[in-house]
Amino acid sequence: MRYIIGTFMVIFFSCSLIAQQEKPFEALDVFELEYAGDPQISPDGSQVIYRRTGFDIMKDRSRGNLWILNTDGTQHHKLTQMDGNESQARWSPDGKKIAYVASTSEGNELFLYWIETGAIARLSQLENSPSGLSWSPDGKWLSFSAMEYIAPPVIAKMPKKPKGAKWAATPRITDRFKHEADGQGYLKPGFRHIYVIPSEGGTARKITSGAFNHGGSLSWSTDGQHIYFSGNLTEDWEYDFRNSEIYKVHTQTGVITTLTNRNGPDRSPIVSPDGKKIAYLGFDDKVQTYQVTRLYVMNQDGTQKKEINTKLDRSISNIQWSADGKTLYCTYDDKGNSKIAQVSLSGKVTKLADDLGGTTLGRPYASGSYSVSTDGTIAFTYSRPDRPADLGVLYKKEKQPKIRTQLNEDLLGYRTLGKVEELWYTSSFDGRSIQGWIVYPPNYEKGKTYPLLVENHGGPILNYGDRFSAEIQLYAAAGYVVFYPNPRGSTSYGEEFGNLLYNNYPGEDYNDVMDGVDACIAKGVTSEDQLYVTGGSAGGIMTAWIIGKNHRFEAAVVAKPVMNWISKTLVADNYYGYANSRYPGQPWENFEGYWKFSPLSLVGNIETPTMVMVGMNDLRTPPSESKQLYHALKIRKKETVLVEIPEASHGIAARPSNLIAKVNHTLAWFKKFMK
């Protein structure tokens, strides 16, 4: 009898374990996800400090603390005993101290951590939050940038109100070209300046001045006399917003020297180890929809500028010098996957690692970062479709990284996720090869057809890839085959491909998406009567365009779209950004052109049941855009509903509960029209 009971218990627990492992990804699991970010390897390559980000289910917010471990994966622990948010960890040049930023009751402040003793000291008492933290080569100083706010303009003086009277608040006066930003709201007037502070603590000293923004990444000269930065210090800087230059500022006198001078963005300066060269990124602005960012080098005084011709036809980012100054490290996206590479000064590109990313959990966009030690060991955020970012370590001359953390194994090790499969197909418009991905439901049965959910990416000058996505995994867990394509206009396929939407958006990217749907049907994973479509931002534009062009879908969810390019261009927070590169002329000069590409022009054709969704605080594609679609469909008596997400800006998924609300409302709408 005891043997029978024991056997039963073994079977019971084995079945329970299998059941746990086969459990699909669920909405509340979003709160349990974690990811590694901003890994900083010590100069000698022995340790890595990174920001470990998770979510507080009670406060519905992300939270991040600094963790440290040896590069062999041992001694993994939280850096400090502090509970507040911590970020921007940077090793001192000798590897004995770590400067970082942490939240306090008085705001974000600079702190210092001693490796040998574990002692912590607060260095600053700042008025505003620091960013771009950087050490001087001798380890005696820290530099950072921060906002310095100024009084807003006053046009008229109000009479004195009676004692105890409750009048309305003072009018808010704006005379700036850029005065608001999505996710931040109204921008208080002021300018970003560069500061230095002794690394042993003391008074932060502002070394820039004037009514200009100074910032970006900061890089010290080897003698500590100058800091290199990017900005636009020209008289017409507000209107010349696409342009920026490289400058250096003297740390004692504040004298600024201009090092570049061309029409185009120059940014991310970084000083070579011997102090003789400055590497930076940019391009000659041709004022088009998309241009590849290129790599340049010049002397420290700005002479002998030249492009390092990589022949890569991909945008380069995140540059760092090797310790010997003979090569540079960088990242780039290729066919929906982010890479780390090494570039010689003659332009030879050597790919070192794939799968950089995993720090954007909602949808499968590019992300991630890395750092390099003096011996060439690389620490980076490594991600695959079944996991957000873990810490990867790539040793010099090795081909494969060692994955040193398993931040989500306690959760995702007990979930069956949808399998992600790459799909290439041919454009019916011009024969181009188009890339997309299919995600199958957990426990997918081959030969069975499933409803197809098309997820269109935003941008449109962005890319999806083979990366983890909580939203797409939730769709797959609900029983959908999910298809997400990179139609023309997507990045990571070269400048010509990305620029096909110049003065032509939406254009043949519509054909690319529909060709992908046909390819999925041809694979036998779905059928013509089981099609559903959604997307946010540029993906919302494409979704609205699709249902205005055809009636193939059972239902649609149009999230945070642009419906009318005339109203969008003149109302959104980045209104000026479209004025010269989206369509020829201004809206009042080219009414027909702007209207031609507005999805609202097709609203009379829409028969598809349509949910319209938008964040109530969205300044990028304001709620008025979504309401134009909703109101038009109501006037036409078409099946529709408007979903407004409270406390959400354009990035609806910034708060976990809003991500869940977005997904659950989408699934509920589709289920309503499921055959």
Side-chain angles (χ1 to χ4, degrees):
M1 183 68 177
R2 189 176 301 166
Y3 172 79
I4 295 174
I5 293 173
T7 302
F8 172 78
M9 293 300 291
V10 169
I11 294 172
F12 174 79
F13 284 116
S14 297
C15 291
S16 297
L17 180 60
I18 293 171
Q20 286 182 30
Q21 290 174 332
E22 292 184 349
K23 186 177 180 180
F25 190 65
E26 299 176 341
L28 283 178
D29 290 340
V30 172
F31 282 101
E32 304 301 324
L33 294 172
E34 295 183 88
Y35 62 88
D38 192 21
Q40 297 294 315
I41 194 166
S42 61
D44 66 1
S46 64
Q47 294 178 292
V48 180
I49 186 169
Y50 72 96
R51 189 171 195 258
R52 183 171 178 171
T53 300
F55 300 97
D56 186 328
I57 195 170
M58 302 306 293
K59 296 181 179 179
D60 195 19
R61 299 286 186 184
S62 66
R63 46 176 170 73
N65 298 120
L66 296 177
W67 284 63
I68 192 169
L69 74 166
N70 296 332
T71 48
D72 64 4
T74 61
Q75 299 296 314
H76 187 200
H77 60 88
K78 190 176 181 298
L79 184 71
T80 75
Q81 299 301 313
M82 298 176 69
D83 291 328
N85 277 305
E86 301 166 327
S87 62
Q88 298 186 59
R90 296 296 181 265
W91 291 90
S92 63
D94 61 9
K96 295 181 179 180
K97 299 183 286 291
I98 297 170
Y100 65 97
V101 175
S103 61
T104 72
S105 59
E106 299 172 346
N108 290 331
E109 300 291 350
L110 296 171
F111 287 80
L112 199 64
Y113 176 91
W114 279 262
I115 291 292
E116 186 175 335
T117 65
I120 298 173
R122 174 173 164 171
L123 301 182
S124 66
Q125 189 170 4
L126 305 174
E127 290 187 23
N128 300 301
S129 298
S131 62
L133 193 60
S134 178
W135 284 86
S136 65
D138 62 7
K140 295 181 178 180
W141 297 88
L142 288 161
S143 64
F144 62 91
S145 65
M147 287 297 296
E148 182 182 64
Y149 294 110
I150 60 176
V154 176
I155 295 177
K157 291 185 177 181
M158 294 290 290
K160 185 178 180 180
K161 65 181 180 181
K163 185 178 180 180
K166 296 181 179 180
W167 288 12
T170 303
R172 192 171 73 191
I173 309 299
T174 297
D175 59 2
R176 293 163 291 151
F177 196 49
K178 181 177 177 64
H179 58 92
E180 60 183 359
D182 184 72
Q184 300 177 63
Y186 173 73
L187 300 175
K188 293 168 61 177
F191 299 94
R192 181 165 292 277
H193 288 287
I194 298 172
Y195 297 76
V196 294
I197 187 172
S199 62
E200 295 180 353
T203 302
R205 178 167 54 89
K206 184 163 67 84
I207 62 172
T208 58
S209 60
F212 303 102
N213 288 305
H214 312 72
S217 56
L218 307 179
S219 184
W220 288 75
S221 62
T222 52
D223 62 6
Q225 294 296 303
H226 292 92
I227 294 174
Y228 293 81
F229 68 97
S230 62
N232 188 334
L233 310 187
T234 62
E235 184 178 349
D236 201 35
W237 65 270
E238 270 198 293
Y239 290 87
D240 194 18
F241 59 89
R242 292 169 65 98
N243 190 44
S244 61
E245 306 295 349
I246 306 296
Y247 303 90
K248 66 178 180 180
V249 57
H250 197 283
T251 55
Q252 299 300 318
T253 67
V255 172
I256 291 177
T257 304
T258 304
L259 301 178
T260 62
N261 183 21
R262 66 168 171 179
N263 183 27
D266 291 316
R267 58 179 179 82
S268 306
I270 184 165
V271 180
S272 64
D274 63 7
K276 296 180 180 180
K277 301 285 185 183
I278 310 296
Y280 61 103
L281 300 172
F283 56 79
D284 292 297
D285 192 2
K286 294 178 282 189
V287 191
Q288 57 190 42
T289 297
Y290 175 63
Q291 290 182 240
V292 164
T293 299
R294 304 181 185 278
L295 176 62
Y296 298 85
V297 170
M298 62 182 169
N299 291 337
Q300 56 86 23
D301 61 359
T303 60
Q304 296 188 12
K305 300 177 183 67
K306 70 171 185 176
E307 179 187 351
I308 296 180
N309 187 6
T310 62
K311 301 179 182 178
L312 191 60
D313 195 26
R314 300 289 186 271
S315 283
I316 290 174
S317 58
N318 304 317
I319 54 174
Q320 297 184 35
W321 284 98
S322 61
D324 60 12
K326 294 180 179 179
T327 62
L328 287 146
Y329 296 92
C330 70
T331 64
Y332 65 91
D333 289 355
D334 182 51
K335 298 182 177 67
N337 189 275
S338 300
K339 320 288 187 183
I340 303 173
Q342 198 165 12
V343 182
S344 71
L345 296 183
S346 63
K348 181 183 177 182
V349 178
T350 303
K351 189 193 74 172
L352 301 177
D354 300 304
D355 304 322
L356 174 74
T359 61
T360 58
L361 300 187
R363 294 183 283 168
Y365 286 121
S367 64
S369 59
Y370 75 100
S371 62
V372 186
S373 68
T374 54
D375 67 359
T377 303
I378 298 173
F380 70 104
T381 53
Y382 173 88
S383 179
R384 292 300 300 144
D386 64 345
R387 295 293 186 276
D390 275 303
L391 180 66
V393 175
L394 180 67
Y395 296 102
K396 192 173 183 179
K397 296 184 179 179
E398 290 196 5
K399 299 295 184 182
Q400 297 298 324
K402 302 292 191 297
I403 311 307
R404 297 309 194 195
T405 62
Q406 293 184 318
L407 301 183
N408 292 282
E409 207 57 35
D410 56 339
L411 171 69
L412 299 182
Y414 298 91
R415 299 291 184 270
T416 301
L417 298 180
K419 177 187 173 185
V420 180
E421 179 181 282
E422 184 180 40
L423 175 68
W424 284 91
Y425 56 96
T426 302
S427 166
S428 61
F429 175 73
D430 56 11
R432 291 175 186 270
S433 293
I434 306 296
Q435 186 181 27
W437 286 266
I438 295 175
V439 184
Y440 295 95
N443 306 312
Y444 169 77
E445 297 178 30
K446 191 173 182 179
K448 179 181 175 181
T449 61
Y450 292 79
L452 183 75
L453 189 156
V454 180
E455 164 63 44
N456 295 297
H457 76 63
I461 312 301
L462 289 172
N463 68 77
Y464 274 168
D466 53 346
R467 309 173 181 112
F468 181 82
S469 166
E471 293 185 31
I472 286 175
Q473 287 296 337
L474 288 172
Y475 292 145
Y480 291 86
V481 170
V482 184
F483 169 61
Y484 60 92
N486 276 347
R488 67 194 62 214
S490 300
T491 55
S492 77
Y493 305 92
E495 184 167 298
E496 188 263 349
F497 187 87
N499 201 43
L500 288 171
L501 301 185
Y502 183 47
N503 294 339
N504 184 39
Y505 171 66
E508 291 74 37
D509 47 334
Y510 161 78
N511 303 79
D512 294 344
V513 175
M514 297 311 301
D515 288 337
V517 172
D518 292 337
C520 290
I521 294 173
K523 279 178 67 70
V525 300
T526 190
S527 59
E528 183 65 33
D529 61 348
Q530 299 185 84
L531 305 181
Y532 303 82
V533 62
T534 188
S537 193
I541 297 171
M542 178 52 62
T543 303
W545 195 259
I546 284 172
I547 60 177
K549 287 279 190 178
N550 68 64
H551 303 151
R552 295 178 62 181
F553 293 87
E554 304 301 316
V557 175
V558 177
K560 52 188 180 183
V562 173
M563 290 304 298
N564 183 339
W565 282 110
I566 298 168
S567 55
K568 148 70 178 182
T569 300
L570 297 175
V571 174
D573 69 323
N574 61 345
Y575 67 102
Y576 51 87
Y578 291 88
N580 299 316
S581 60
R582 180 61 70 196
Y583 307 112
Q586 307 304 330
W588 57 91
E589 299 168 335
N590 184 17
F591 180 91
E592 293 79 7
Y594 278 72
W595 181 249
K596 172 184 175 183
F597 293 105
S598 296
L600 194 61
S601 68
L602 302 177
V603 77
N605 302 330
I606 294 177
E607 301 293 333
T608 307
T610 301
M611 172 180 283
V612 187
M613 186 184 301
V614 68
M616 295 176 72
N617 297 336
D618 194 333
L619 295 177
R620 185 60 46 85
T621 55
S624 57
E625 291 295 312
S626 292
K627 289 177 181 178
Q628 288 181 65
L629 174 59
Y630 171 68
H631 292 161
L633 292 176
K634 290 301 289 185
I635 289 171
R636 295 188 59 236
K637 298 183 178 179
K638 300 301 176 183
E639 188 120 29
T640 186
V641 64
L642 175 65
V643 177
E644 298 176 281
I645 307 294
E647 298 182 49
S649 58
H650 193 62
I652 290 176
R655 299 182 70 172
S657 68
N658 283 340
L659 184 155
I660 294 168
K662 176 187 175 186
V663 170
N664 284 4
H665 280 82
T666 298
L667 292 173
W669 184 251
F670 288 166
K671 184 177 181 180
K672 181 178 180 180
F673 300 97
M674 188 77 68
K675 291 184 178 178

